[in-house]
Amino acid sequence: MAADRPISSESQKKLDTIVAKGLQYLEKNGQAPDGSFTAQAGPGLTALAVTGTLRSGKTVDDPVVAKGLKALEGFVKPDGGIYGNGRLRNYETCVAMLCFQEANADGRYNETLKKARDFVTRLQYGQGEVKQDDVWFGGVGYGGAGRPDLSNTGYLVEALIETGSEADDEAIQRALVFVSRCQNLESKYNDTQFAGKVNDGGFFYEIPREKIDPSTSPERYTENGGIRSYGSMTYAGLKSMIYAGLTKDDPRVKAASQWVADNYSVEQNPGMESAGLFYYYHTFAAGLGTAGLTEVTDADGKTHNWREELIDELAKRQNEDGSWSNENGRWFENDKNLATAFALMALSYCDADAAQPAGTPTE
């Protein structure tokens, strides 16, 4: 392998093959005549599928992309949001922003993106009278109002960074406060009641405002009242911290990197097994790619080229028709369009010829 290439020529060939099959699936079987993908799920899935297609080398002139963008344009609202019924307005707007940004080389979506940026920023918990000592400060949820979560906050940070924000942007720094509180790490950045109960450096999905009863959900909670870390959220947290300007020397990044080493896997979503596996593949690749890491050394001292291992794993998991899907239907991943979109987005971080992602590398 050449020193300046993250994957071997053999892995590149395998990557090209499985990506081509995935793109063919979306074109032949995934896209509806109106350009949408799994329309009943709202515009978010169309945005993800078109983003995955664009990041896989297709252009705005490609028929799948052109039809998909037209379908997505139909969800642009007068308030600046890009959403369906409004229940998922932050999530849907953020993933639509990523899609339109990928297609914006000629500036066609400049105004749309400007209004969308203003819209999602207004949804962030931390506006107006909310004080920073509120544990939800800086976060955002699916619809904006109410309980925030790390997944939606991560999408917000990525959407803002990809569309032009710098790490020191006020909205990004507010989000960093919430992200830091979703980390199982006792530090000056996390003053919640859960900070030191697990203390393994990993991340979890949401911050309860009250004490929790561990017996209500052993999958999520530890016996001492802590919240279990798991893979997809840890990589989402790592990526968000890098976008917010933290370096590899920051104790939060060090702790997250240690969790990654201790729980490295391309076979399952650590802590959740097969649940949310393809979302995990996306956050795994995005987190490690944004952090500038080529290899991960695990708890046993074994060094992994994560890109090559991810390519191999997704090659094994690809269906005969070129799609991907999860037998575990939690979070809708049994939908082939969704799983295929996430797989293509993950694989875009593996391509030796792909552009570097936004954010600040840590090495």
Side-chain angles (χ1 to χ4, degrees):
M1 186 190 307
D4 59 346
R5 290 181 64 84
I7 61 174
S8 67
S9 57
E10 180 182 349
S11 290
Q12 184 68 50
K13 289 178 182 177
K14 183 180 291 187
L15 171 64
D16 292 343
T17 298
I18 62 176
V19 166
K21 289 173 64 178
L23 291 172
Q24 185 176 44
Y25 171 80
L26 291 180
E27 177 184 1
K28 302 296 184 184
N29 305 99
Q31 191 170 39
D34 66 357
S36 66
F37 292 84
T38 316
Q40 67 270 26
L45 213 154
T46 297
L48 293 171
V50 176
T51 301
T53 301
L54 285 164
R55 290 183 179 177
S56 299
K58 298 295 184 179
T59 69
V60 292
D61 297 320
D62 178 80
V64 172
V65 173
K67 289 194 300 180
L69 289 171
K70 185 176 181 180
L72 199 57
E73 288 167 8
F75 290 93
V76 176
K77 299 292 192 288
D79 61 8
I82 309 163
Y83 54 86
N85 61 20
R87 187 174 65 88
L88 306 175
R89 55 187 177 155
N90 174 73
Y91 160 73
E92 290 173 344
T93 301
C94 287
V95 295
M97 288 170 66
L98 295 173
C99 182
F100 285 145
Q101 180 63 26
E102 290 286 341
N104 199 41
D106 59 2
R108 68 179 67 183
Y109 293 117
N110 281 352
E111 189 63 22
T112 298
L113 288 168
K114 180 180 182 299
K115 291 179 178 178
R117 284 170 54 83
D118 292 341
F119 176 78
V120 294
T121 301
R122 291 196 302 271
L123 296 178
Q124 189 178 28
Y125 199 92
Q127 304 293 310
E129 299 301 315
V130 178
K131 304 295 185 182
Q132 188 166 324
D133 58 4
D134 187 316
V135 294
W136 287 356
F137 178 89
V140 65
Y142 278 105
R147 173 197 54 77
D149 63 75
L150 180 55
S151 179
N152 274 285
T153 304
Y155 273 125
L156 171 70
V157 170
E158 183 176 12
L160 292 177
I161 289 290
E162 292 286 355
T163 58
S165 289
E166 298 293 336
D168 61 358
D169 181 275
E170 289 184 5
I172 302 295
Q173 291 303 307
R174 284 196 299 267
L176 178 60
V177 174
F178 180 78
V179 170
S180 298
R181 287 171 171 167
C182 290
Q183 186 175 23
N184 275 315
L185 182 66
E186 195 167 21
S187 73
K188 65 180 182 180
Y189 308 104
N190 188 352
D191 55 1
T192 70
Q193 59 176 303
F194 306 103
K197 291 183 181 294
V198 175
N199 209 36
D200 62 1
F203 286 76
F204 49 82
Y205 178 71
E206 63 178 319
I207 307 173
R209 277 185 156 165
E210 300 176 354
K211 289 185 178 180
I212 50 91
D213 178 359
S215 67
T216 61
S217 182
E219 175 196 61
R220 295 179 61 201
Y221 305 133
T222 60
E223 291 183 1
N224 69 344
I227 307 175
R228 298 186 191 279
S229 303
Y230 65 99
S232 49
M233 285 302 95
T234 298
Y235 287 103
L238 174 62
K239 177 185 67 172
S240 298
M241 293 191 300
I242 300 302
Y243 280 147
L246 303 191
T247 69
K248 63 181 181 181
D249 296 321
D250 188 282
R252 289 164 287 183
V253 175
K254 284 184 175 180
S257 300
Q258 186 62 54
W259 192 95
V260 166
D262 291 341
N263 297 274
Y264 177 86
S265 178
V266 294
E267 297 174 349
Q268 62 176 350
N269 180 1
M272 297 297 287
E273 298 183 352
S274 62
L277 183 61
F278 285 86
Y279 175 67
Y280 166 72
Y281 287 142
H282 174 231
T283 62
F284 169 90
L288 294 176
T290 302
L293 298 175
T294 299
E295 297 178 330
V296 175
T297 301
D298 66 21
D300 296 325
K302 182 179 179 181
T303 299
H304 301 265
N305 182 317
W306 64 265
R307 290 182 174 89
E308 292 190 344
E309 293 184 5
L310 181 59
I311 292 167
D312 289 343
E313 186 67 23
L314 285 172
K316 289 190 296 185
R317 291 182 177 273
Q318 191 168 33
N319 298 319
E320 284 294 323
D321 62 4
S323 69
W324 285 271
S325 56
N326 192 345
E327 292 182 0
N328 187 327
R330 191 171 182 181
W331 299 311
F332 206 48
E333 284 199 353
N334 55 339
D335 180 87
K336 288 185 174 182
N337 286 334
L338 179 60
T340 302
F342 278 144
L344 290 173
M345 290 171 70
L347 290 167
S348 72
Y349 286 90
C350 299
D351 195 327
D353 301 316
Q356 289 297 309
T360 305
T362 59
E363 67 170 22

